[in-house]
Structures are given as structure tokens and as C-alpha cells.
């Protein structure tokens, strides 16, 4: 295992690692991924419809980042650059799989309830939200996930998604309106059963 240290013994920056990778260092990109793997997995998982799609999109995105590292512009943080590449890989995969509508049954983000009734309600709510998210167009889903689920400010979400701030705002507004309608519809169906 290679350990990266800066000139003063401190940790090498992400930009330095990316530069080393472009220069041919065989370990630099792996170190960069080690730093950001968890974050990028969560981004892929929240943007995709299933763990399988998230995994595939993450792999595709990282391969793209590896190949296109020389195109990195220093006006953005490396983490934001990687984030945007992974989101775009997820959106590309969603477009390719458009005919397949799936949703996550995972309860990864559901707080552990105190009793089984609460647990069933929490899982049911998560499934309902996932179903509603699955009905959104991919670009709206990515924007609303970044802002409302991941908690990024609109300006940072715009950087991460590689789109203007106004576009993030309009996609979120359209997504929230559609989500409200879909959640009401899905909730109404659940009450009728």
C-alpha cells in the first residue's frame, strides 16, 4: 500500500493526487477513490433506482473519471468533479433503462424504530417515497435528491450536477410538485386497500 505525503509531511491534496495520476503514478487514482468512495456510493445509490444500477453507474463513472482525468479543470474541487461524473453516469444508465421501472426496497436511510409497527410504517413510507422518486424524470430526480435528500445548497448542487443554479431551482420545483401529487396518489391507493 502506497502512502501519500506532501512536501511538509502533510497529506497530499486531491488535486495533487489527480495530477500524479495523469503523470502516470499507478497508485494515485486508487488513493483518491479511497478518500471519496463512500460519498460517491451514496450519491450513486440515491440517484439510481436500485443497488445494481448504482453499482454499475458508479463503476462507469469512475472509469470515465480515470480516463478523463487530464480534462479536470482546477476551478472546481476534485470531489465535486467526481460527484458530477457519477451523477451523469447514473442519469445515462437511467435513460438506457428507461423501459424498466424499479424502485428500492432498502431501508438504509430509515431510522430504526422503537417497535415493529413503527418499523413497518417507516419501511412503508420509504417504499412510497422511493416509488414516487422513481416516477420523476432523471434530471429532476438528481436535482431534488441533491438538494432535499443530501442537503446541498442550491449553488453547490448546481456545481455538482454541472448545471446552472436556475436550472436546479426549476427542476427541484417541478420535482417537488410532481412528488407531492405522486405521494398523494400513492398514499390514497394505500388507504383504499
Amino acid at each position: 500500500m502506497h502512502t501519500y505525503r506532501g512536501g511538509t509531511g502533510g497529506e497530499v491534496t486531491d488535486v495533487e493526487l489527480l495530477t500524479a495520476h495523469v503523470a502516470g503514478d499507478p497508485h494515485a487514482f486508487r488513493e483518491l477513490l479511497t478518500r471519496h468512495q463512500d460519498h460517491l456510493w451514496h450519491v450513486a445509490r440515491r440517484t439510481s433506482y436500485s443497488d445494481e444500477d448504482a453499482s454499475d453507474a458508479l463503476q462507469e463513472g469512475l472509469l470515465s473519471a480515470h480516463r478523463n482525468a487530464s480534462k479536470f479543470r482546477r476551478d472546481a474541487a476534485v470531489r465535486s468533479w467526481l460527484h458530477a461524473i457519477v451523477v451523469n453516469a447514473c442519469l445515462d444508465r437511467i435513460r438506457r433503462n428507461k423501459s424498466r421501472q424499479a424502485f428500492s426496497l432498502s431501508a438504509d436511510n430509515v431510522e430504526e424504530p422503537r417497535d415493529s409497527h413503527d418499523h413497518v410504517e417507516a419501511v412503508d413510507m420509504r417504499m412510497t417515497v422511493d416509488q414516487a422518486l422513481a416516477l420523476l424524470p432523471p434530471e429532476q430526480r438528481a436535482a431534488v435528491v441533491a438538494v432535499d435528500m443530501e442537503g446541498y445548497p442550491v449553488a453547490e448542487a448546481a456545481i455538482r450536477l454541472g448545471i446552472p443554479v436556475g436550472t436546479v431551482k426549476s427542476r427541484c420545483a417541478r420535482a417537488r410538485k410532481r412528488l407531492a401529487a405522486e405521494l398523494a396518489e400513492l398514499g390514497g391507493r394505500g388507504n383504499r386497500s
Side-chain angles (χ1 to χ4, degrees):
M1 173 97 182
H2 192 280
T3 304
Y4 286 88
R5 298 276 177 230
T8 60
E11 190 174 271
V12 173
T13 67
D14 288 349
V15 171
E16 290 169 331
L17 283 173
L18 200 57
T19 302
H21 164 66
V22 170
D25 184 323
H27 305 287
F29 197 75
R30 185 180 319 131
E31 175 68 21
L32 192 62
L33 294 186
T34 299
R35 290 181 184 183
H36 301 289
Q37 182 74 29
D38 287 344
H39 168 74
L40 296 173
W41 166 249
H42 289 294
V43 167
R45 184 59 202 97
R46 286 181 170 163
T47 307
S48 300
Y49 294 128
S50 70
D51 285 346
E52 182 182 341
D53 283 345
S55 180
D56 290 346
L58 179 60
Q59 189 173 10
E60 290 166 9
L62 295 178
L63 183 59
S64 175
H66 186 272
R67 289 179 178 158
N68 295 301
S70 63
K71 296 178 183 174
F72 172 72
R73 295 185 329 252
R74 292 179 179 251
D75 61 342
V78 172
R79 182 175 169 128
S80 296
W81 177 72
L82 290 169
H83 181 109
I85 289 172
V86 169
V87 167
N88 286 331
C90 291
L91 295 176
D92 288 345
R93 180 160 280 280
I94 289 168
R95 285 184 203 104
R96 284 194 308 267
N97 297 337
K98 196 144 190 140
S99 63
R100 188 184 88 184
Q101 291 263 329
F103 59 91
S104 169
L105 296 177
S106 74
D108 293 342
N109 298 320
V110 176
E111 186 178 315
E112 193 59 40
R114 294 189 198 346
D115 64 48
S116 62
H117 184 265
D118 287 346
H119 179 70
V120 169
E121 284 186 8
V123 170
D124 187 46
M125 175 54 81
R126 178 67 188 171
M127 288 174 60
T128 301
V129 169
D130 283 349
Q131 281 180 301
L133 281 169
L135 298 172
L136 292 176
E139 291 80 7
Q140 288 179 17
R141 177 183 167 98
V144 82
V145 164
V147 174
D148 293 343
M149 296 180 79
E150 294 179 347
Y152 289 110
V154 171
E156 186 168 346
I159 291 167
R160 289 176 180 275
L161 297 172
I163 57 177
V165 168
T167 303
V168 172
K169 289 179 180 178
S170 64
R171 286 181 182 174
C172 283
R174 287 193 302 270
R176 289 177 190 132
K177 184 175 181 180
R178 185 161 176 188
L179 276 173
E182 294 296 345
L183 287 170
E185 175 70 21
L186 291 168
R189 276 190 236 141
N191 291 338
R192 287 193 296 265
S193 34

